[in-house]
Amino acid sequence: MASQEEMGRKNRDGDGDGDRAGGREKEETFELRAHCLCQTHAFTATVPRASLPLAASYCHCTSCRHVTGALYSSVVAWPANGAAAVRASSLRRYGFAATMAILYCGACGSTMFAERRDAGAEGRGEGDKGLHYAVQTGVLVNAAVPRLLTIADHMFLSDTLDGGASPWLCGANGEGPRPRLWAGRRGESEELSLTTITTTTTAPTTFQKAIPSSPAEVPIQCHCGGVDLVLHPPAPHYAAQPRAALPWFVDPSSNKSLAGFDACDSCRLSSGSDVFHWTFVLLRHLDFPPSPSPAPSSKPLPPFPASSTELMNAVARTSTSASTSADAEAETDRDPRWGTLTCYASSPGVQRYFCGCCSAVVFYAADDRPELVDLAIGLLRSADGAARAESLLSWDFGGAMVWRGDVAGGWREAFVASVEAAAERWRIGRGYPKNWRRVQKEEAARIREG
């Protein structure tokens, strides 16, 4: 994850085009605003308008994927004039690295800031002077400016093994400069070419590694390990079903589950990433990892929930089945296998699950589809180790993102359009056909239009 100091060096110092008052130029400024999903926490800071677009850095390392649930972490320097409010806030802190902490909302799980402490600052007695902040781009307000951000670079691409989300993010600057691509840390690792990332039909040498045999279980784990679940790969089950009986999210040709692009406000706010990537899983294909044999006197452990309501009740500390206060008191100790998984009801009938320790997004669930959850792709540890997990997933590259209307009228509208176009170019360059789901939608649109 890029530090505030690194990002600050990239953002230009501009004098602006302001008026002259009292013999001094009055600099025109722009107010940056950021808030969490539940809006318990909101922050503002100002930058010279001439410094726009601000330089953002995208980190694709394994740790950033597992601490967000996204395919990357994207940050921009948070101005010093807004740092005091962040320091004084009640945001929770997670020790991400020796000198780095993740700051997030404990109520809704929104990943908001990275806090970096200068090495040795405590020993020198510098206190808060040694703290610097970078804000997650996904929690910034979708202000009506042409370009708020420009992507300066992508780091730790070698961790992805397949380039991760970088192929469709390389063109997200529109007509602006292309981001630099690094195998590891910026300036200290191999610099990769755009051609290598976007047009190869097989994994670049930088990303290659031995692929183990297909497992019976795929781990689903956050950065801190507090969320530790498994996915039983459902493709063999779907392969035995008639095509007409397949769930809507299953590719009838490959039996893989759909993976898509989501531009909705709630998903970006909860994860801190401007575009989130989900796949879809029936609850019956999720489970807890195998555990040692329990003692003979141990109470049998319940199976994994079969519905969204059962999931919500299991993760909550008290089951709704308790009929008396004594029953409720007895049931306050929930199944320890849930670890740090936390539920936030973001709207009526909708639950969002995240790690209460490191803030990673885990699931999205809704009462109107009780057998199904959206699963954050960044937490999947597929057999081939690749970030996009194409051995498990059928990606809908190109076409319109879901909830695209949420970005209308702000700087993200152009950003999302650029990402869509880049994903389509990359799909064609790799020789991928249109995803079956996209074909279905386009055919339905043609029928509606007559």
Side-chain angles (χ1 to χ4, degrees):
M1 180 176 290
S3 69
Q4 189 270 354
E5 180 183 41
E6 291 172 315
M7 295 315 308
R9 287 199 297 265
K10 292 177 174 292
N11 292 332
R12 303 190 306 274
D13 293 324
D15 292 331
D17 298 321
D19 303 327
R20 290 187 176 275
R24 293 188 303 174
E25 184 173 321
K26 183 180 179 181
E27 187 174 59
E28 185 180 1
T29 61
F30 179 82
E31 184 179 71
L32 292 174
R33 291 181 290 148
H35 64 81
C36 65
L37 176 59
C38 69
Q39 301 197 43
T40 297
H41 300 280
F43 305 92
T44 61
T46 57
V47 295
R49 187 171 286 272
S51 69
L52 302 182
L54 302 175
S57 185
Y58 281 53
C59 183
H60 301 255
C61 77
T62 301
S63 292
C64 279
R65 298 198 308 275
H66 292 165
V67 84
T68 61
L71 289 189
Y72 54 84
S73 177
S74 52
V75 297
V76 67
W78 187 247
N81 59 58
V86 178
R87 284 196 297 270
S89 74
S90 60
L91 288 170
R92 290 187 183 177
R93 283 167 167 75
Y94 169 66
F96 181 73
T99 59
M100 184 80 71
I102 300 296
L103 277 56
Y104 66 98
C105 176
C108 65
S110 289
T111 306
M112 295 200 71
F113 293 93
E115 178 186 78
R116 181 184 62 82
R117 181 178 293 276
D118 290 338
E122 289 186 11
R124 296 193 297 268
E126 294 182 6
D128 291 346
K129 292 181 180 179
L131 293 177
H132 309 277
Y133 297 91
V135 64
Q136 294 285 145
T137 62
V139 300
L140 291 171
V141 168
N142 190 33
V145 293
R147 286 182 65 206
L148 180 64
L149 306 177
T150 186
I151 303 176
D153 46 44
H154 296 282
M155 298 188 298
F156 290 97
L157 289 169
S158 62
D159 276 18
T160 69
L161 305 185
D162 60 5
S166 64
W168 50 85
L169 291 171
C170 287
N173 291 340
E175 299 301 319
R178 294 286 183 180
R180 298 181 73 175
L181 310 171
W182 301 97
R185 191 175 301 279
R186 177 192 308 110
E188 301 176 12
S189 61
E190 176 189 1
E191 186 163 9
L192 308 176
S193 70
L194 180 64
T195 301
T196 299
I197 293 295
T198 60
T199 61
T200 51
T201 55
T202 57
T205 302
T206 303
F207 304 139
Q208 287 177 349
K209 84 169 195 177
I211 298 176
S213 58
S214 180
E217 298 168 344
V218 177
I220 301 167
Q221 296 171 331
C222 65
H223 186 264
C224 72
V227 175
D228 186 10
L229 304 170
V230 296
L231 167 68
H232 298 293
H237 169 76
Y238 294 138
Q241 292 187 352
R243 302 299 85 183
L246 291 175
W248 63 266
F249 57 87
V250 176
D251 187 330
S253 297
S254 66
N255 298 302
K256 296 178 181 179
S257 297
L258 178 67
F261 292 60
D262 192 332
C264 91
D265 284 341
S266 296
C267 293
R268 69 168 175 83
L269 285 168
S270 60
S271 67
S273 300
D274 296 293
V275 176
F276 200 77
H277 302 290
W278 297 102
T279 188
F280 306 90
V281 180
L282 294 177
L283 284 166
R284 66 172 178 264
H285 293 137
L286 295 172
D287 207 347
F288 300 103
S291 57
S293 299
S297 59
S298 298
K299 181 180 178 181
L301 295 173
F304 202 89
S307 72
S308 59
T309 300
E310 291 180 13
L311 176 64
M312 181 175 61
N313 290 338
V315 172
R317 290 193 175 275
T318 303
S319 169
T320 56
S321 65
S323 58
T324 68
S325 59
D327 290 338
E329 183 176 352
E331 293 183 3
T332 54
D333 292 329
R334 70 174 188 175
D335 189 333
R337 295 175 297 173
W338 290 115
T340 53
L341 188 65
T342 304
C343 178
Y344 169 65
S346 58
S347 58
V350 172
Q351 304 87 43
R352 292 178 179 273
Y353 293 84
F354 64 96
C355 173
C357 176
C358 69
S359 83
V361 173
V362 183
F363 299 133
Y364 168 94
D367 291 349
D368 61 359
R369 42 173 218 184
E371 77 292 346
L372 173 70
V373 292
D374 296 14
L375 170 63
I377 294 175
L379 302 189
L380 277 176
R381 306 198 181 194
S382 62
D384 59 9
R388 291 196 299 270
E390 290 188 50
S391 60
L392 296 169
L393 307 178
S394 176
W395 280 85
D396 186 6
F397 297 120
M401 296 187 196
V402 297
W403 296 102
R404 197 184 190 286
D406 282 11
V407 303
W411 63 269
R412 286 190 178 88
E413 185 169 12
F415 173 82
V416 164
S418 296
V419 170
E420 289 170 338
E424 179 70 352
R425 290 193 300 271
W426 185 74
R427 178 190 70 80
I428 294 170
R430 284 181 73 100
Y432 283 175
K434 287 184 180 180
N435 181 273
W436 98 99
R437 185 68 175 164
R438 179 177 170 189
V439 172
Q440 287 179 346
K441 290 180 178 179
E442 290 177 349
E443 181 61 26
R446 281 193 292 270
I447 292 174
R448 286 195 304 270
E449 293 168 1

